[in-house]
Amino acid sequence: MVAPKARTPLSADALFHLVRGGFAHIPDPRDEDVDISLTDTLMSAFAMFSLKAPSLLAFDKERAAGHLRTIYGIQHVPCDTYRRERLDPVSPKVLRPVFTSVFRQLQRGKALEAMTFLDSHYLLALDGTAYFSSKTLPCASCLHKVHRNGSCTYDHQMLGAAIVHPDQRAVMPLMPEPIVKQEGTDKNDCERNAAKRFVAKLRREHPHLQFIITEDSLSSNAPHIETLHAYGLHSILGVKAGDHAAVFEQVQGAEHTGRVTYYERHDRAAGVVHRFRFVNDIPLNASHAEVRVNFIEYWEISQDKVQHCSWVPDLRVTKRHVFHLMRGGRARWKIENETFNTLKNQGYNFEHNYGHGVQHLSVMFAMLMMLAFLVDQTQQLCCAWFRAVWTKLGSKRLLWERMRALFYDYALMSMRQLCEALLYGVQQSSPLVMIDST
Ligand SMILES: [Zn+2]
């Protein structure tokens, strides 16, 4: 067997080192002497998500075993209680430079070239999701929902963001924007405000990158489209006849004046017909006539079903581009399916309560989980070893399970060695038993 080539600076080992280095720059809010450094505390939470520990208890129990020191560089592993206590007062925004350093490494390693879409753009899918809900005591970041009977629900949401590509299963998450109660106000935060904060930060961090933002139909409103334009971001946003009646009326009108273009493409191998109609430069609605959009309506017709979608891209639609724009619009589902659903169902336990805290703990854990997911997705995109083991084992769940077993049972020095062991197998030796020969 020939060992697959691995891109070293993007290997799990190199990225763990980079993440740890980033954590080491975060100032510790505690002034007094501490038993365990904040770096070790952050790294141990990261390792918990990286190893997909089935529960806090399981991770805690085995913290003395395994190779948290050799592989994750953790000098002292805190217990669960200590970890919660230390992380709760730390503001999640300190993790932003760590996400950025991993992103820069991806750029330097040319890993993102595989994700470019329509010339040199990145397709960035945004979507909100809730991951924690409680009826008991809220923390300082909780959103409050008061019910008719006077009871209250407290929950945590985030605006997730990931670079997606129609041909790639891997997604590259950016640091999510927490949807949390903002300081100095009693009002709840919302997805739209979070999106405003997110794009401002995105532009500040990546002033020269070209993005096409793709979102569902809730985002197709004039203020949001204006915000995206103000930050020089392109977009492919969903629209629905029920919610955007004005757009569909405009298209109807354009049809009467012959401005609508029809286009069809046959994929005989797949037995599918792609049917389009599109029109450029129509107002989004009467009250915002100055906000002009282009419109694509699409039908995917196969033998037994018809799928129907529509979008308002800000990029001009032509027969040459309409197929690509449709694929970009449809790739949006990867933020739900390949991102949130993977985090919920593929071993990360996104909705599990790792600790609520009174200030930031719940948000901190969600961000650290996303950071571990980013490192895993980099392996999925770039590491031939990882992909070979995944193919061999057939599922991510089994992959994490086997990885964890080797991590705890064998004296391995790196993730690379762990992957090799998973791919080629390990030499099983019989246990040594002392025999009394007298
Ligand atoms: Zn909370």
Side-chain angles (χ1 to χ4, degrees):
M1 253 183 170
V2 180
K5 276 187 193 154
R7 290 192 235 186
T8 318
L10 293 173
S11 67
D13 295 301
L15 293 179
F16 290 171
H17 186 75
L18 187 72
V19 165
R20 196 188 149 79
F23 288 162
H25 281 101
I26 297 174
D28 193 335
R30 277 205 195 168
D31 295 334
E32 74 271 29
D33 272 351
V34 286
D35 297 339
I36 297 178
S37 69
L38 182 64
T39 313
D40 272 355
T41 313
L42 284 161
M43 202 62 198
S44 76
F46 173 85
M48 180 171 76
F49 297 125
S50 172
L51 288 165
K52 269 50 93 192
S55 70
L56 278 169
L57 196 68
F59 183 75
D60 223 22
K61 247 177 153 176
E62 294 188 293
R63 74 183 201 273
H67 305 290
L68 291 169
R69 188 172 187 160
T70 40
I71 294 185
Y72 288 94
I74 305 170
Q75 301 301 314
H76 301 284
V77 189
C79 70
D80 170 38
T81 316
Y82 188 84
R83 188 167 47 237
R84 293 179 192 216
E85 203 181 288
R86 290 298 307 280
L87 294 184
D88 192 35
V90 183
S91 166
K93 67 180 179 208
V94 299
L95 296 177
R96 180 163 291 279
V98 189
F99 275 90
T100 312
S101 69
V102 176
F103 189 86
R104 298 262 181 263
Q105 195 76 335
L106 284 164
Q107 286 182 300
R108 271 195 291 271
K110 308 215 179 294
L112 293 175
E113 278 180 7
M115 305 295 281
T116 51
F117 176 78
L118 284 185
D119 304 324
S120 46
H121 292 83
Y122 294 119
L123 196 55
L124 183 62
L126 303 183
D127 197 13
T129 189
Y131 59 92
F132 173 74
S133 175
S134 149
K135 284 200 178 294
T136 54
L137 277 181
C139 74
S141 317
C142 268
L143 300 174
H144 296 220
K145 194 194 276 172
V146 184
H147 301 284
R148 274 199 201 133
N149 63 6
S151 70
C152 214
T153 311
Y154 309 105
D155 71 351
H156 281 257
Q157 299 173 18
M158 64 157 76
L159 180 77
I163 294 178
V164 297
H165 190 282
D167 298 327
Q168 297 287 350
R169 190 155 172 206
V171 301
M172 286 297 141
L174 304 184
M175 179 155 160
E177 181 62 33
I179 305 178
V180 294
K181 200 164 85 58
Q182 298 295 295
E183 266 173 51
T185 165
D186 281 338
K187 273 193 188 163
N188 271 333
D189 193 12
C190 64
E191 191 173 324
R192 198 188 285 188
N193 284 343
K196 259 191 209 165
R197 297 193 300 273
F198 176 86
V199 294
K201 290 172 190 170
L202 178 75
R203 259 299 161 246
R204 203 161 50 228
E205 244 162 39
H206 307 290
H208 305 299
L209 290 189
Q210 304 202 67
F211 290 103
I212 300 173
I213 307 290
T214 176
E215 294 175 83
D216 65 17
S217 63
L218 290 175
S219 65
S220 294
N221 58 76
H224 184 60
I225 292 174
E226 283 180 324
T227 304
L228 295 179
H229 278 180
Y231 286 98
L233 298 163
H234 290 298
S235 57
I236 306 175
L237 309 178
V239 275
K240 278 186 181 159
D243 301 333
H244 301 90
V247 170
F248 285 79
E249 276 165 27
Q250 287 289 331
V251 176
Q252 213 58 42
E255 195 142 44
H256 290 309
T257 53
R259 286 178 58 214
V260 171
T261 309
Y262 296 88
Y263 175 70
E264 216 170 80
R265 188 190 267 211
H266 293 251
D267 182 345
R268 289 201 169 80
V272 171
V273 177
H274 304 280
R275 183 172 295 160
F276 300 90
R277 68 167 182 166
F278 61 85
V279 57
N280 287 307
D281 195 27
I282 55 169
L284 184 70
N285 55 46
S287 54
H288 291 95
E290 73 286 1
V291 178
R292 316 285 292 184
V293 291
N294 309 314
F295 172 86
I296 300 174
E297 192 166 16
Y298 166 69
W299 294 263
E300 185 191 83
I301 305 156
S302 58
Q303 205 161 23
D304 46 2
K305 66 173 180 188
V306 176
Q307 289 196 61
H308 174 235
C309 316
S310 25
W311 298 276
V312 284
D314 76 322
L315 298 145
R316 197 168 175 80
V317 189
T318 61
K319 281 186 180 176
R320 215 174 122 216
H321 287 124
V322 68
F323 188 78
H324 295 293
L325 291 170
M326 170 278 285
R327 295 195 75 211
R330 288 184 97 181
R332 188 204 69 79
W333 66 267
K334 286 171 190 273
I335 185 88
E336 286 178 20
N337 219 355
E338 300 291 343
T339 313
F340 299 147
N341 288 350
T342 303
L343 291 177
K344 285 171 188 172
N345 309 319
Q346 299 285 316
Y348 295 85
N349 299 319
F350 187 37
E351 293 166 304
H352 177 83
N353 177 18
Y354 286 94
H356 192 185
V358 293
Q359 282 176 277
H360 305 294
L361 188 64
S362 184
V363 185
M364 262 321 250
F365 277 140
M367 299 295 132
L368 287 164
M369 179 185 286
M370 197 60 95
L371 189 61
F373 179 65
L374 169 61
V375 172
D376 292 340
Q377 289 292 295
T378 307
Q379 302 315 298
Q380 188 173 318
L381 185 71
C382 307
C383 177
W385 287 98
F386 182 94
R387 280 206 301 265
V389 177
W390 186 19
T391 307
K392 184 183 166 187
L393 295 175
S395 83
K396 280 258 179 80
R397 266 189 180 282
L398 193 56
L399 170 69
W400 306 138
E401 214 173 276
R402 298 285 299 121
M403 268 191 171
R404 227 171 22 244
L406 284 192
F407 180 85
Y408 286 115
D409 293 345
Y410 287 85
L412 299 167
M413 299 305 289
S414 64
M415 288 306 272
R416 163 73 183 265
Q417 232 185 20
L418 203 151
C419 274
E420 280 176 44
L422 279 174
L423 193 58
Y424 300 129
V426 280
Q427 196 81 42
Q428 302 270 350
S429 51
S430 310
L432 281 175
V433 184
M434 301 296 277
I435 299 169
D436 189 348
S437 58
T438 54

